Amino acid sequence: MTFPPGSAARDDDGPGAVAARLTRRTVAGVRTVSGSLAEAVLDDGRVVVVKRTGGAEAARAEAAGLRWLAGAATVRVPAVHGHHEGWLVLDRVTRGRPSREAAVRFGRDLAGLHAAGAPAFGAPPPGGPVEAYIGAAPMRNITGDDWPGWYAGHRVLPYLRRAVDDGVVRPAEAGVVERVCERLPELSGPAEPPARLHGDLWNGNVLWGADGGVRLIDPAAHGGHRETDLAMLALFGCPHGDAVLDGYREAAPLAGGWETRVGVHQLFPLLVHAVLFGRGYAERALAVARAAASG
């Protein structure tokens, strides 16, 4: 089945009709990749990825985030063809193998992305919703001028409360995370301006291209502290992670003591994972909090 360019897409249409509508090309074929992803072959031979997100606002947030990252003209992201309701259409990235050279270059580019800045901590991308997402978890982009207070109030404590409500963190355990939040002004290092963050920078969202370049996907973009992206990248490991850090620090040295703050910045993604995936991540978050609180 082919889909003509500009075909009107309804909420219940499949990826072929959505791809035709948003690319304004005839779609010659569709291949299912997973329950939420498909690849559509256009009449000019290009292949696009058609993604089914969690809803219209999730698609809008992701599209706005990708465009905001692209606007920094540093890190590379797949081109966004558009979004419709809960659908998003992007260029496909042809995969390659990670290399140290690409990792160093990615580190430099990531430093450039962060340096592009944001209007405030928590600022959403232009055109992006306040009520956004990190993965499948809601994430509110409420702004603030003071990173320690903003990070505690809008990144750590909301997920801690939900984890307690869900029974993933026991009420008696929550105090150690709350104490870290109280001490954030002294634990967070020198004040820095808001950075333009990818926001969900784990290895699965770093694509190593066949052309030797790196592309980033699935952002939870917002204004934040640049060390949060780096801490997230370290949390689950990354090929040539040391080279990424070398490239980053060559372009933008980190403030002294950054190694001691990694756990503080990992509290946010660990608590998000606890909410989404359960007790194992809660235990990791509590261990990180205990180490930070005793430091």
Side-chain angles (χ1 to χ4, degrees):
M1 178 181 292
T2 59
F3 299 88
S7 299
R10 304 185 306 273
D11 291 352
D12 58 350
D13 274 338
V18 172
R21 180 181 191 270
L22 295 180
T23 64
R24 298 191 175 277
R25 308 288 309 195
T26 295
V27 172
V30 175
R31 182 179 75 89
T32 300
V33 177
S34 69
S36 60
L37 290 177
E39 292 181 348
V41 181
L42 306 183
D43 58 358
D44 60 1
R46 288 179 297 152
V47 180
V48 294
V49 171
V50 186
K51 179 179 180 180
R52 184 66 153 164
T53 69
E57 288 299 272
R60 182 162 75 96
E62 187 170 337
L66 286 167
R67 287 169 174 149
W68 196 41
L69 300 188
T74 55
V75 297
R76 300 167 70 181
V77 301
V80 178
H81 292 277
H83 61 92
H84 175 77
E85 297 301 330
W87 295 96
L88 186 68
V89 177
L90 312 166
D91 276 349
R92 184 186 65 171
V93 177
T94 302
R95 303 290 191 94
R97 295 179 62 84
S99 71
R100 181 174 180 83
E101 180 183 2
V104 171
R105 188 165 56 247
F106 168 50
R108 295 187 190 120
D109 290 344
L110 184 61
L113 172 69
H114 292 162
F121 297 111
V130 170
E131 302 294 338
Y133 295 86
I134 177 166
M139 183 184 78
R140 301 193 73 200
N141 283 323
I142 302 297
T143 61
D145 297 324
D146 169 67
W147 185 81
W150 170 83
Y151 183 67
H154 299 294
R155 288 298 179 265
V156 176
L157 293 176
Y159 299 97
L160 175 65
R161 296 185 189 109
R162 181 170 165 182
V164 171
D165 290 345
D166 292 348
V168 176
V169 171
R170 302 178 187 100
E173 296 173 321
V176 66
V177 178
E178 293 168 342
R179 286 193 293 277
V180 172
C181 288
E182 291 169 359
R183 293 186 58 200
L184 275 175
E186 63 182 278
L187 294 175
S188 58
E192 295 202 1
R196 188 173 306 192
L197 298 191
H198 176 280
D200 192 7
L201 195 61
W202 72 288
N203 181 50
N205 290 337
V206 179
L207 302 186
W208 303 82
D211 62 357
V214 169
R215 272 82 164 177
L216 301 184
I217 60 170
D218 296 350
H222 62 278
H225 197 300
R226 63 190 179 125
E227 291 178 16
T228 304
D229 261 358
L230 295 173
M232 180 86 177
L233 194 62
L235 185 57
F236 302 111
C238 176
H240 303 290
D242 58 337
V244 175
L245 190 57
D246 286 346
Y248 189 98
R249 296 175 67 192
E250 177 185 309
L254 295 167
W258 65 269
E259 302 97 326
T260 67
R261 297 188 290 272
V262 171
V264 168
H265 290 274
Q266 289 178 342
L267 267 181
F268 164 48
L270 283 172
L271 286 169
V272 170
H273 277 71
V275 166
L276 292 176
F277 305 115
R279 178 67 186 177
Y281 286 105
E283 290 174 350
R284 289 186 67 179
L286 292 168
V288 162
R290 292 187 191 104
S294 64

